[in-house]
Amino acid sequence: LTQEAGLELGRPLLLLSECVLVYMEATQSDNLLQTLAGAFSRLAVLAYEAICPDDAFGRMMVSNLEERGCPFRGIHAYPSIAAHKERHRKLHMDPVM
């Protein structure tokens, strides 16, 4: 897959994630990030993920997606920007901005 995609292991990688990781179980997305971080010389992640599942908008968003059969499986594990920053620190992906 890496050859077909033109990826060179051992080189730096910029991962753009727009509401992707939040659909995965937190352990699965953590494992994905750890795998990528180990495969490339440096991993930079630019993530735009859903947060705040417990405010009015978040409750409605989570409910609507669950009703449609596509739940945000990881939103409660990482419900805030601070939680996402801590996740990246825990996975040794510094610096976090």
Side-chain angles (χ1 to χ4, degrees):
L1 176 63
T2 56
Q3 272 186 332
E4 292 172 10
L7 296 174
E8 295 180 40
L9 298 179
R11 305 252 344 224
L13 176 71
L14 172 61
L15 175 67
L16 304 174
S17 172
E18 183 176 354
C19 287
V20 174
L21 301 176
V22 74
Y23 282 99
M24 302 168 73
E25 295 291 343
T27 54
Q28 293 172 323
S29 58
D30 285 353
N31 288 339
L32 174 63
L33 291 172
Q34 280 189 309
T35 298
L36 291 173
F40 294 90
S41 66
R42 184 169 181 128
L43 176 64
V45 179
L46 179 58
Y48 180 79
E49 299 289 343
I51 57 171
C52 301
D54 298 316
D55 67 13
F57 178 82
R59 286 190 302 273
M60 179 63 70
M61 175 180 58
V62 168
S63 174
N64 284 339
L65 289 168
E66 284 177 356
E67 288 175 14
R68 287 167 177 71
C70 51
F72 279 162
R73 291 185 168 94
I75 196 165
H76 294 288
Y78 301 109
S80 66
I81 293 171
H84 280 276
K85 286 182 176 183
E86 182 56 31
R87 166 197 224 176
H88 288 259
R89 283 189 191 96
K90 177 183 77 173
L91 297 174
H92 307 289
M93 299 171 64
D94 290 324
V96 176
M97 296 178 209

